[in-house]
Amino acid sequence: MMSETKEKIAASAAETMPLETMTGAQMVIRALKDQGVSHIFGYPGGAVLPIYDALFEAEGIEHVLVRHEQGAAHAAEGYARSTGKPGVLLVTSGPGATNAVTGLTDALMDSIPIVMLSGQVPTHLIGTDAFQECDTVGITRPCTKNNWLVKHVNDLSRTIHEAFEIATTGRPGPVVVDIPKDIQFQSGSYVGPRGLHHRTYRPRTDPDAAAITQAVAMMAVAKRPVFYTGGGIINSGPQASQLLRELVDLTGFPVTSTLMGLGAFPASRPEWLGMLGMHGTWEANHAMHDCDLMICLGARFDDRVTGRIAAFSPGSKKIHLDIDPSQINKVVRTDLGIIADAGKAIAAMIAAWKSGGHTKPDISGWWDQINRWRGRKSLAFKHSDTLIKPQYAIDRLYQLTRGRDVYVTTEVGQHQMWAAQRFHFEQPNRWMTSGGLGTMGYGLPAAVGVQVAHPDALVIDIAGEASVQMTMQEMSTAMQYELPIKIFILNNEYMGMVRQWQELLHGGRYSHSYSEALPDFVKMAEAFGCLGLRAEKPAELDASILEMINTRRPVLFDCRVDPMENIFPMIPSGAAHNEMILGDLGEAEVSAAGKTMV
Amino acid sequence: MLYEKDTGTTVRESHTITVLVDNEAGVLARVIGLFSGRGYNIESLTVAEVDPAAHTSRITIVTSGTPQVIEQIEAQLARLVPVHKVNNWTSQEGGIEREMALVKVAGSGDAPMKALRLADTFRARTVDTTQSSFVFEITGAPAKINAFIEELRPLGLIDVSRTGVAAMSRGPEAM
């Protein structure tokens, strides 16, 4: 392969499809169509006008005009996460590209396939500090899986197809194709997506048979096993979630999941332990700590999951399945690494389990222990008749939306964790949240993207009043495209997670975490043309939630909740899984080393 | 570091790693950015196109870290899209590592002549001579060059330029 030149590759592709001559801008539209793209999220500007001109006449591609390029990136993420297809955004040079950087980084951290096409100043102006020039490929290099500056029109179509290939295969992620304005105007030869052969990119998806055999042998003799599943199962496609159910049927092992993996395993199943990690359940974290075999499927031992590494699940053997070889042994030494697509590896485990003649092992003693942990009811809270507890609000939202086709996005903070703990999922692709980067402002534009992909579904952004103000302008997008998203704000007037950490770690000194001047969200909704609702007492909550979900237009719901409620359980910084706390914690209980951690 | 890592051992080792890449725009920045972004160390770096017909360049990096960090560096390099191959010469038998340096000494008295005799001992070539200075060219393993430079330090050493390490396997196999 190494001796093959790019010219030869282009020539071999040309043999399979006759070359057509068109402008660079037309190539962009044609390439998107050939990639099966039906929706793009974007914002026009000087350096991208030729593409917008070609889009003006294009049929079959619907463009959603956002109000800020960060919104385009998060909308593309929501679209991608809820469909399994890549999300596409189109932005102009300079600020158009820099505004999208948060979304690109978010997609990189959470392995979401998005393709950003950006305009660039004409090639002869690159490097002259031209108007709205920035080094887009330089700025986005560390926050993309790969990126390209297209300098010749005949490279354009091939580069776009390559970008889609790289975004959607292997470990998915964001890519950027930066297209100078003169390239958009020039005419050249269009190459279709078929017959492209990448010189270096070879993601490995098939598991090593010996590793699968070894994994199944370890599973067959485990006494205290646990499946620790993650977003890799969701990225593998819905069949991977089905296969996980089958593997659990065969083994009877308990299942916990990361924030990103919620929905891969049905929350209604008896094997489900709930989410693990910093705000995971008592039973999930204790099972992780005390297990003798941890089977990690498509997760990456994030610091929110592990707590203190030195005390992380000290007595267990660890199997780690990941499609990205660099994740194996990155933070936790594993006993067996399997590099493969999650679905393929789980299918191979099922086949090996069956062919090995294994039956469901007797782990009843382990289940007895797990049920004792469950008995602690770690998600319980004290109800109030006067104040809406945020947990109660999520519980009512969950109950009142049963039987509907529900997709949930979130912002970042306490509300996100309450939603993760209490809003249960039976299927993958229903839960869109910013896990790795923790991007406040993700949820509203992500909901826009989800609703574009699923026009008849009930799409709810479970939000906080602080996060939602970061991308509030996208309510206008929702109105323009009649996207009936529901923004359910748990309004506690604080940056709740910041306030909680200040309470627990900084002596209750609430430095700049209280919002002195909040907008009237009901009036704000009305200003956008949306429906604004407010609930202040538990007794009025149900009726307002029902009004929200029965309204076929965007709704902003100001749910006034107890401002001082904390999210528990919590593994304090620098603590182990079995040191989680359920109630109020004195500052002295957090070590000095723990306080330095984020 | 905010979070401690389960490194097993904290002993830092120096490793020479070669990366064969497509010679496309920005590829060096991608590799270097990986090192700076993830907090890895670069002790030396050598890069040049090695096959113009195939558009491939070879980047050789001397880095240091615990065994776990070295393993991560190799894995992170391998996942970069334009990377063909990653080779660690230190963790396998029979790697050849060579570096070239230009070294200048200047001064009066008998120091320059001592430097000249030392250069002969180290089989360095003299590539420039004036009344009061010499420039030597020395090729060899990095340790030999380090030793040469240290010997010259009291003899009027005023300038050093090193190429960084180039590496290759012994025997009939290519990288």
Side-chain angles (χ1 to χ4, degrees), chain A residues 137-194:
Chain A
V137 288
I139 289 167
T140 62
R141 196 174 287 125
C143 62
T144 53
K145 188 172 169 187
N146 206 33
N147 62 9
W148 300 262
L149 170 64
V150 180
K151 288 180 175 165
H152 305 285
V153 69
N154 285 331
D155 291 337
L156 178 56
S157 51
R158 179 180 50 77
T159 304
I160 294 174
H161 296 312
E162 187 182 331
F164 273 87
E165 167 80 7
I166 285 168
T168 56
T169 58
R171 180 178 179 180
V175 295
V176 169
V177 182
D178 198 28
I179 313 169
K181 193 171 184 179
D182 53 330
I183 304 295
Q184 299 171 35
F185 276 123
Q186 285 168 18
S187 285
S189 298
Y190 177 80
V191 182
R194 284 184 300 146

Short mmCIF file of all heavy atoms in Angstrom, two decimals, chain A residues 137-194:
data_model
loop_
_atom_site.label_atom_id
_atom_site.label_comp_id
_atom_site.label_asym_id
_atom_site.label_seq_id
_atom_site.Cartn_x
_atom_site.Cartn_y
_atom_site.Cartn_z
N VAL A 137 -7.34 24.68 10.76
CA VAL A 137 -6.81 23.33 10.96
C VAL A 137 -5.84 23.31 12.15
O VAL A 137 -5.76 22.30 12.87
CB VAL A 137 -6.15 22.72 9.70
CG1 VAL A 137 -7.19 22.36 8.66
CG2 VAL A 137 -5.09 23.61 9.14
N GLY A 138 -5.13 24.40 12.36
CA GLY A 138 -4.24 24.46 13.52
C GLY A 138 -5.02 24.47 14.83
O GLY A 138 -4.68 23.77 15.78
N ILE A 139 -6.09 25.27 14.86
CA ILE A 139 -6.89 25.38 16.08
C ILE A 139 -7.63 24.08 16.35
O ILE A 139 -7.78 23.67 17.51
CB ILE A 139 -7.88 26.56 15.95
CG1 ILE A 139 -7.12 27.89 16.01
CG2 ILE A 139 -8.95 26.52 17.03
CD1 ILE A 139 -7.94 29.09 15.59
N THR A 140 -8.11 23.42 15.31
CA THR A 140 -8.95 22.24 15.53
C THR A 140 -8.17 20.93 15.50
O THR A 140 -8.76 19.87 15.70
CB THR A 140 -10.10 22.16 14.49
OG1 THR A 140 -9.54 22.03 13.17
CG2 THR A 140 -10.98 23.37 14.56
N ARG A 141 -6.87 20.99 15.27
CA ARG A 141 -6.10 19.74 15.20
C ARG A 141 -6.21 18.92 16.49
O ARG A 141 -6.47 17.72 16.42
CB ARG A 141 -4.63 20.05 14.87
CG ARG A 141 -3.84 18.84 14.39
CD ARG A 141 -2.45 19.22 13.94
NE ARG A 141 -2.45 19.92 12.67
CZ ARG A 141 -1.90 21.11 12.46
NH1 ARG A 141 -1.30 21.74 13.43
NH2 ARG A 141 -1.95 21.66 11.27
N PRO A 142 -6.02 19.54 17.66
CA PRO A 142 -6.12 18.71 18.86
C PRO A 142 -7.55 18.36 19.28
O PRO A 142 -7.73 17.60 20.21
CB PRO A 142 -5.43 19.56 19.94
CG PRO A 142 -5.51 20.94 19.44
CD PRO A 142 -5.59 20.91 17.96
N CYS A 143 -8.55 18.92 18.62
CA CYS A 143 -9.93 18.62 19.05
C CYS A 143 -10.71 17.92 17.94
O CYS A 143 -11.94 17.95 17.94
CB CYS A 143 -10.65 19.87 19.56
SG CYS A 143 -10.85 21.18 18.38
N THR A 144 -10.00 17.29 17.01
CA THR A 144 -10.66 16.48 15.98
C THR A 144 -9.92 15.15 15.87
O THR A 144 -8.77 15.02 16.28
CB THR A 144 -10.62 17.15 14.60
OG1 THR A 144 -9.27 17.49 14.28
CG2 THR A 144 -11.49 18.39 14.55
N LYS A 145 -10.61 14.19 15.27
CA LYS A 145 -9.95 12.91 14.98
C LYS A 145 -8.97 13.11 13.83
O LYS A 145 -7.89 12.53 13.81
CB LYS A 145 -11.01 11.86 14.64
CG LYS A 145 -10.48 10.45 14.50
CD LYS A 145 -11.62 9.46 14.37
CE LYS A 145 -11.09 8.09 13.97
NZ LYS A 145 -12.18 7.15 13.66
N ASN A 146 -9.37 13.92 12.87
CA ASN A 146 -8.45 14.35 11.81
C ASN A 146 -9.05 15.60 11.16
O ASN A 146 -10.24 15.86 11.27
CB ASN A 146 -8.24 13.26 10.77
CG ASN A 146 -6.90 13.39 10.06
OD1 ASN A 146 -5.91 13.82 10.64
ND2 ASN A 146 -6.87 13.06 8.78
N ASN A 147 -8.21 16.38 10.49
CA ASN A 147 -8.73 17.54 9.77
C ASN A 147 -7.88 17.82 8.53
O ASN A 147 -6.76 17.31 8.40
CB ASN A 147 -8.83 18.77 10.68
CG ASN A 147 -7.49 19.23 11.23
OD1 ASN A 147 -6.44 18.76 10.83
ND2 ASN A 147 -7.53 20.15 12.17
N TRP A 148 -8.45 18.59 7.61
CA TRP A 148 -7.79 18.84 6.33
C TRP A 148 -8.03 20.27 5.89
O TRP A 148 -9.13 20.80 6.05
CB TRP A 148 -8.39 17.94 5.23
CG TRP A 148 -8.29 16.47 5.46
CD1 TRP A 148 -7.36 15.62 4.94
CD2 TRP A 148 -9.16 15.65 6.24
NE1 TRP A 148 -7.60 14.33 5.35
CE2 TRP A 148 -8.69 14.32 6.15
CE3 TRP A 148 -10.30 15.90 7.02
CZ2 TRP A 148 -9.32 13.26 6.81
CZ3 TRP A 148 -10.91 14.85 7.67
CH2 TRP A 148 -10.43 13.55 7.55
N LEU A 149 -7.01 20.88 5.31
CA LEU A 149 -7.18 22.12 4.56
C LEU A 149 -7.06 21.73 3.08
O LEU A 149 -6.04 21.17 2.67
CB LEU A 149 -6.09 23.14 4.93
CG LEU A 149 -5.99 24.39 4.06
CD1 LEU A 149 -7.26 25.23 4.17
CD2 LEU A 149 -4.77 25.23 4.44
N VAL A 150 -8.09 21.98 2.31
CA VAL A 150 -8.10 21.58 0.91
C VAL A 150 -7.49 22.69 0.07
O VAL A 150 -8.01 23.81 0.03
CB VAL A 150 -9.53 21.27 0.43
CG1 VAL A 150 -9.53 20.86 -1.03
CG2 VAL A 150 -10.15 20.18 1.30
N LYS A 151 -6.37 22.38 -0.60
CA LYS A 151 -5.67 23.42 -1.35
C LYS A 151 -5.86 23.29 -2.86
O LYS A 151 -5.46 24.19 -3.61
CB LYS A 151 -4.18 23.38 -1.03
CG LYS A 151 -3.86 23.89 0.37
CD LYS A 151 -2.35 23.83 0.62
CE LYS A 151 -2.00 24.46 1.95
NZ LYS A 151 -0.65 24.10 2.37
N HIS A 152 -6.42 22.17 -3.31
CA HIS A 152 -6.65 21.96 -4.75
C HIS A 152 -8.06 21.42 -4.94
O HIS A 152 -8.46 20.49 -4.24
CB HIS A 152 -5.62 20.99 -5.33
CG HIS A 152 -4.21 21.42 -5.09
ND1 HIS A 152 -3.62 22.45 -5.78
CD2 HIS A 152 -3.30 21.00 -4.18
CE1 HIS A 152 -2.38 22.63 -5.33
NE2 HIS A 152 -2.16 21.77 -4.35
N VAL A 153 -8.76 21.98 -5.90
CA VAL A 153 -10.17 21.61 -6.07
C VAL A 153 -10.32 20.12 -6.39
O VAL A 153 -11.30 19.48 -5.98
CB VAL A 153 -10.85 22.51 -7.13
CG1 VAL A 153 -10.32 22.24 -8.54
CG2 VAL A 153 -12.37 22.34 -7.08
N ASN A 154 -9.34 19.55 -7.08
CA ASN A 154 -9.46 18.13 -7.42
C ASN A 154 -9.25 17.20 -6.21
O ASN A 154 -9.48 16.00 -6.31
CB ASN A 154 -8.50 17.76 -8.55
CG ASN A 154 -9.01 18.28 -9.88
OD1 ASN A 154 -10.22 18.42 -10.08
ND2 ASN A 154 -8.09 18.61 -10.77
N ASP A 155 -8.79 17.76 -5.08
CA ASP A 155 -8.68 16.97 -3.85
C ASP A 155 -9.97 17.04 -3.02
O ASP A 155 -10.12 16.30 -2.05
CB ASP A 155 -7.54 17.50 -2.96
CG ASP A 155 -6.18 17.24 -3.57
OD1 ASP A 155 -6.07 16.31 -4.40
OD2 ASP A 155 -5.23 17.96 -3.20
N LEU A 156 -10.88 17.95 -3.39
CA LEU A 156 -11.98 18.29 -2.47
C LEU A 156 -12.93 17.13 -2.21
O LEU A 156 -13.21 16.78 -1.06
CB LEU A 156 -12.74 19.52 -3.01
CG LEU A 156 -13.94 19.98 -2.19
CD1 LEU A 156 -13.55 20.28 -0.74
CD2 LEU A 156 -14.57 21.21 -2.82
N SER A 157 -13.45 16.53 -3.29
CA SER A 157 -14.47 15.50 -3.07
C SER A 157 -13.88 14.29 -2.36
O SER A 157 -14.48 13.73 -1.44
CB SER A 157 -15.12 15.11 -4.40
OG SER A 157 -14.15 14.79 -5.36
N ARG A 158 -12.67 13.91 -2.76
CA ARG A 158 -12.03 12.77 -2.09
C ARG A 158 -11.83 13.05 -0.60
O ARG A 158 -12.04 12.18 0.25
CB ARG A 158 -10.67 12.49 -2.76
CG ARG A 158 -9.90 11.35 -2.15
CD ARG A 158 -8.57 11.13 -2.86
NE ARG A 158 -7.80 12.35 -3.02
CZ ARG A 158 -7.11 12.94 -2.04
NH1 ARG A 158 -7.09 12.40 -0.84
NH2 ARG A 158 -6.46 14.06 -2.26
N THR A 159 -11.42 14.28 -0.31
CA THR A 159 -11.19 14.64 1.10
C THR A 159 -12.48 14.57 1.91
O THR A 159 -12.49 14.08 3.05
CB THR A 159 -10.57 16.05 1.19
OG1 THR A 159 -9.38 16.07 0.41
CG2 THR A 159 -10.25 16.43 2.62
N ILE A 160 -13.58 15.04 1.32
CA ILE A 160 -14.86 15.00 2.07
C ILE A 160 -15.26 13.54 2.33
O ILE A 160 -15.68 13.19 3.43
CB ILE A 160 -15.96 15.77 1.32
CG1 ILE A 160 -15.61 17.26 1.26
CG2 ILE A 160 -17.32 15.56 1.99
CD1 ILE A 160 -16.56 18.08 0.41
N HIS A 161 -15.11 12.70 1.31
CA HIS A 161 -15.47 11.29 1.51
C HIS A 161 -14.57 10.64 2.57
O HIS A 161 -15.03 9.86 3.41
CB HIS A 161 -15.37 10.51 0.20
CG HIS A 161 -16.34 11.00 -0.84
ND1 HIS A 161 -17.66 11.21 -0.55
CD2 HIS A 161 -16.17 11.34 -2.14
CE1 HIS A 161 -18.28 11.66 -1.65
NE2 HIS A 161 -17.40 11.75 -2.62
N GLU A 162 -13.29 10.98 2.52
CA GLU A 162 -12.36 10.46 3.52
C GLU A 162 -12.76 10.94 4.91
O GLU A 162 -12.70 10.17 5.89
CB GLU A 162 -10.94 10.94 3.17
CG GLU A 162 -9.84 10.33 4.02
CD GLU A 162 -8.45 10.88 3.65
OE1 GLU A 162 -8.25 11.25 2.47
OE2 GLU A 162 -7.59 10.94 4.54
N ALA A 163 -13.19 12.19 5.00
CA ALA A 163 -13.59 12.75 6.29
C ALA A 163 -14.78 11.97 6.87
O ALA A 163 -14.80 11.66 8.07
CB ALA A 163 -13.96 14.23 6.12
N PHE A 164 -15.76 11.67 6.03
CA PHE A 164 -16.91 10.89 6.52
C PHE A 164 -16.48 9.50 6.98
O PHE A 164 -16.94 8.99 8.00
CB PHE A 164 -17.99 10.78 5.43
CG PHE A 164 -18.95 11.94 5.43
CD1 PHE A 164 -18.67 13.10 4.72
CD2 PHE A 164 -20.13 11.86 6.16
CE1 PHE A 164 -19.54 14.16 4.74
CE2 PHE A 164 -21.01 12.92 6.17
CZ PHE A 164 -20.72 14.10 5.47
N GLU A 165 -15.59 8.89 6.19
CA GLU A 165 -15.10 7.56 6.53
C GLU A 165 -14.43 7.57 7.91
O GLU A 165 -14.69 6.71 8.76
CB GLU A 165 -14.10 7.12 5.44
CG GLU A 165 -13.25 5.91 5.78
CD GLU A 165 -13.97 4.59 5.59
OE1 GLU A 165 -15.10 4.63 5.06
OE2 GLU A 165 -13.42 3.55 5.99
N ILE A 166 -13.59 8.57 8.14
CA ILE A 166 -12.84 8.60 9.39
C ILE A 166 -13.73 8.99 10.56
O ILE A 166 -13.60 8.44 11.66
CB ILE A 166 -11.61 9.52 9.23
CG1 ILE A 166 -10.57 8.76 8.40
CG2 ILE A 166 -11.04 9.95 10.58
CD1 ILE A 166 -9.44 9.57 7.89
N ALA A 167 -14.70 9.88 10.32
CA ALA A 167 -15.59 10.29 11.42
C ALA A 167 -16.44 9.12 11.91
O ALA A 167 -16.72 9.02 13.11
CB ALA A 167 -16.50 11.42 10.96
N THR A 168 -16.85 8.24 11.00
CA THR A 168 -17.88 7.26 11.34
C THR A 168 -17.35 5.86 11.64
O THR A 168 -18.10 5.03 12.13
CB THR A 168 -18.90 7.13 10.20
OG1 THR A 168 -18.22 6.81 8.99
CG2 THR A 168 -19.67 8.43 10.01
N THR A 169 -16.09 5.58 11.34
CA THR A 169 -15.57 4.24 11.55
C THR A 169 -14.58 4.21 12.71
O THR A 169 -14.13 5.25 13.17
CB THR A 169 -14.87 3.71 10.28
OG1 THR A 169 -13.82 4.61 9.94
CG2 THR A 169 -15.85 3.59 9.12
N GLY A 170 -14.22 3.00 13.13
CA GLY A 170 -13.32 2.87 14.26
C GLY A 170 -13.94 3.53 15.47
O GLY A 170 -15.15 3.40 15.71
N ARG A 171 -13.14 4.24 16.28
CA ARG A 171 -13.72 5.04 17.34
C ARG A 171 -14.23 6.32 16.70
O ARG A 171 -13.43 7.12 16.19
CB ARG A 171 -12.66 5.36 18.39
CG ARG A 171 -13.22 6.18 19.53
CD ARG A 171 -12.13 6.44 20.57
NE ARG A 171 -12.66 7.26 21.65
CZ ARG A 171 -11.94 7.64 22.71
NH1 ARG A 171 -10.69 7.27 22.81
NH2 ARG A 171 -12.47 8.38 23.64
N PRO A 172 -15.53 6.57 16.68
CA PRO A 172 -16.04 7.74 15.95
C PRO A 172 -15.54 9.04 16.57
O PRO A 172 -15.13 9.05 17.73
CB PRO A 172 -17.56 7.62 16.09
CG PRO A 172 -17.82 6.25 16.61
CD PRO A 172 -16.59 5.83 17.36
N GLY A 173 -15.63 10.10 15.79
CA GLY A 173 -15.19 11.39 16.32
C GLY A 173 -15.42 12.50 15.32
O GLY A 173 -15.86 12.27 14.19
N PRO A 174 -15.10 13.73 15.73
CA PRO A 174 -15.30 14.88 14.86
C PRO A 174 -14.16 15.03 13.86
O PRO A 174 -13.01 14.72 14.15
CB PRO A 174 -15.31 16.05 15.84
CG PRO A 174 -14.41 15.60 16.95
CD PRO A 174 -14.58 14.11 17.07
N VAL A 175 -14.50 15.53 12.67
CA VAL A 175 -13.49 15.86 11.66
C VAL A 175 -13.82 17.24 11.08
O VAL A 175 -14.97 17.68 11.16
CB VAL A 175 -13.45 14.82 10.51
CG1 VAL A 175 -13.01 13.45 11.01
CG2 VAL A 175 -14.79 14.72 9.81
N VAL A 176 -12.82 17.89 10.52
CA VAL A 176 -13.02 19.21 9.92
C VAL A 176 -12.41 19.21 8.52
O VAL A 176 -11.26 18.77 8.34
CB VAL A 176 -12.37 20.33 10.77
CG1 VAL A 176 -12.34 21.65 10.01
CG2 VAL A 176 -13.12 20.50 12.09
N VAL A 177 -13.17 19.71 7.54
CA VAL A 177 -12.62 19.97 6.21
C VAL A 177 -12.72 21.47 5.98
O VAL A 177 -13.82 22.04 5.94
CB VAL A 177 -13.40 19.20 5.12
CG1 VAL A 177 -12.77 19.47 3.75
CG2 VAL A 177 -13.42 17.70 5.41
N ASP A 178 -11.56 22.11 5.86
CA ASP A 178 -11.49 23.56 5.72
C ASP A 178 -11.31 23.88 4.23
O ASP A 178 -10.37 23.40 3.60
CB ASP A 178 -10.29 24.09 6.55
CG ASP A 178 -10.37 25.57 6.82
OD1 ASP A 178 -11.50 26.11 6.87
OD2 ASP A 178 -9.30 26.19 7.00
N ILE A 179 -12.23 24.68 3.68
CA ILE A 179 -12.27 24.86 2.22
C ILE A 179 -12.13 26.35 1.87
O ILE A 179 -13.07 27.13 2.06
CB ILE A 179 -13.61 24.31 1.65
CG1 ILE A 179 -13.90 22.90 2.22
CG2 ILE A 179 -13.57 24.29 0.13
CD1 ILE A 179 -15.30 22.41 1.92
N PRO A 180 -10.98 26.75 1.33
CA PRO A 180 -10.80 28.15 0.94
C PRO A 180 -11.83 28.58 -0.11
O PRO A 180 -12.28 27.77 -0.93
CB PRO A 180 -9.37 28.19 0.38
CG PRO A 180 -8.69 27.02 1.01
CD PRO A 180 -9.75 25.97 1.14
N LYS A 181 -12.16 29.85 -0.09
CA LYS A 181 -13.25 30.36 -0.94
C LYS A 181 -12.94 30.18 -2.42
O LYS A 181 -13.84 29.89 -3.21
CB LYS A 181 -13.51 31.83 -0.60
CG LYS A 181 -14.80 32.36 -1.20
CD LYS A 181 -15.12 33.75 -0.66
CE LYS A 181 -16.46 34.22 -1.21
NZ LYS A 181 -16.81 35.56 -0.69
N ASP A 182 -11.67 30.37 -2.83
CA ASP A 182 -11.36 30.24 -4.26
C ASP A 182 -11.53 28.79 -4.72
O ASP A 182 -11.92 28.55 -5.87
CB ASP A 182 -9.94 30.75 -4.57
CG ASP A 182 -8.87 30.12 -3.70
OD1 ASP A 182 -9.17 29.76 -2.55
OD2 ASP A 182 -7.72 30.00 -4.17
N ILE A 183 -11.29 27.84 -3.83
CA ILE A 183 -11.49 26.43 -4.18
C ILE A 183 -12.98 26.16 -4.40
O ILE A 183 -13.37 25.36 -5.26
CB ILE A 183 -10.94 25.51 -3.06
CG1 ILE A 183 -9.46 25.81 -2.78
CG2 ILE A 183 -11.16 24.03 -3.38
CD1 ILE A 183 -8.53 25.50 -3.91
N GLN A 184 -13.82 26.85 -3.65
CA GLN A 184 -15.26 26.67 -3.81
C GLN A 184 -15.74 27.15 -5.18
O GLN A 184 -16.69 26.63 -5.74
CB GLN A 184 -16.02 27.43 -2.71
CG GLN A 184 -15.68 26.96 -1.30
CD GLN A 184 -16.28 27.86 -0.23
OE1 GLN A 184 -17.37 28.40 -0.41
NE2 GLN A 184 -15.55 28.06 0.87
N PHE A 185 -15.05 28.17 -5.71
CA PHE A 185 -15.43 28.72 -7.02
C PHE A 185 -14.84 27.94 -8.19
O PHE A 185 -15.41 27.90 -9.28
CB PHE A 185 -14.96 30.18 -7.14
CG PHE A 185 -15.90 31.17 -6.53
CD1 PHE A 185 -15.48 32.04 -5.53
CD2 PHE A 185 -17.22 31.27 -6.97
CE1 PHE A 185 -16.34 32.97 -4.97
CE2 PHE A 185 -18.10 32.21 -6.42
CZ PHE A 185 -17.65 33.06 -5.41
N GLN A 186 -13.65 27.33 -7.98
CA GLN A 186 -12.96 26.66 -9.09
C GLN A 186 -13.72 25.43 -9.57
O GLN A 186 -14.44 24.81 -8.80
CB GLN A 186 -11.55 26.25 -8.67
CG GLN A 186 -10.57 27.40 -8.58
CD GLN A 186 -9.27 26.99 -7.89
OE1 GLN A 186 -8.97 25.81 -7.76
NE2 GLN A 186 -8.53 28.00 -7.45
N SER A 187 -13.49 25.07 -10.84
CA SER A 187 -14.07 23.84 -11.38
C SER A 187 -13.05 22.72 -11.33
O SER A 187 -11.85 22.95 -11.51
CB SER A 187 -14.53 24.04 -12.81
OG SER A 187 -15.72 24.80 -12.82
N GLY A 188 -13.54 21.52 -11.13
CA GLY A 188 -12.65 20.37 -11.08
C GLY A 188 -13.44 19.09 -11.22
O GLY A 188 -14.65 19.10 -11.51
N SER A 189 -12.76 17.97 -11.02
CA SER A 189 -13.37 16.67 -11.23
C SER A 189 -13.90 16.14 -9.90
O SER A 189 -13.18 16.10 -8.90
CB SER A 189 -12.35 15.67 -11.77
OG SER A 189 -11.89 16.13 -13.02
N TYR A 190 -15.16 15.71 -9.95
CA TYR A 190 -15.78 15.11 -8.76
C TYR A 190 -15.51 13.61 -8.73
O TYR A 190 -15.67 12.92 -9.74
CB TYR A 190 -17.29 15.36 -8.76
CG TYR A 190 -17.98 14.70 -7.59
CD1 TYR A 190 -17.95 15.30 -6.33
CD2 TYR A 190 -18.61 13.47 -7.72
CE1 TYR A 190 -18.54 14.69 -5.24
CE2 TYR A 190 -19.21 12.85 -6.62
CZ TYR A 190 -19.17 13.46 -5.40
OH TYR A 190 -19.75 12.85 -4.32
N VAL A 191 -15.11 13.12 -7.57
CA VAL A 191 -14.89 11.69 -7.37
C VAL A 191 -15.90 11.22 -6.33
O VAL A 191 -16.07 11.85 -5.29
CB VAL A 191 -13.45 11.41 -6.86
CG1 VAL A 191 -13.24 9.92 -6.70
CG2 VAL A 191 -12.43 12.01 -7.80
N GLY A 192 -16.55 10.12 -6.63
CA GLY A 192 -17.56 9.57 -5.72
C GLY A 192 -16.93 8.83 -4.56
O GLY A 192 -15.72 8.64 -4.50
N PRO A 193 -17.77 8.41 -3.62
CA PRO A 193 -17.23 7.79 -2.41
C PRO A 193 -16.73 6.37 -2.61
O PRO A 193 -15.98 5.86 -1.77
CB PRO A 193 -18.42 7.80 -1.44
CG PRO A 193 -19.63 7.92 -2.29
CD PRO A 193 -19.23 8.64 -3.54
N ARG A 194 -17.15 5.71 -3.68
CA ARG A 194 -16.75 4.31 -3.83
C ARG A 194 -15.31 4.20 -4.33
O ARG A 194 -14.82 5.07 -5.04
CB ARG A 194 -17.68 3.60 -4.81
CG ARG A 194 -19.03 3.28 -4.17
CD ARG A 194 -19.89 2.49 -5.11
NE ARG A 194 -20.14 3.24 -6.32
CZ ARG A 194 -20.25 2.70 -7.53
NH1 ARG A 194 -20.10 1.40 -7.68
NH2 ARG A 194 -20.50 3.44 -8.58
#
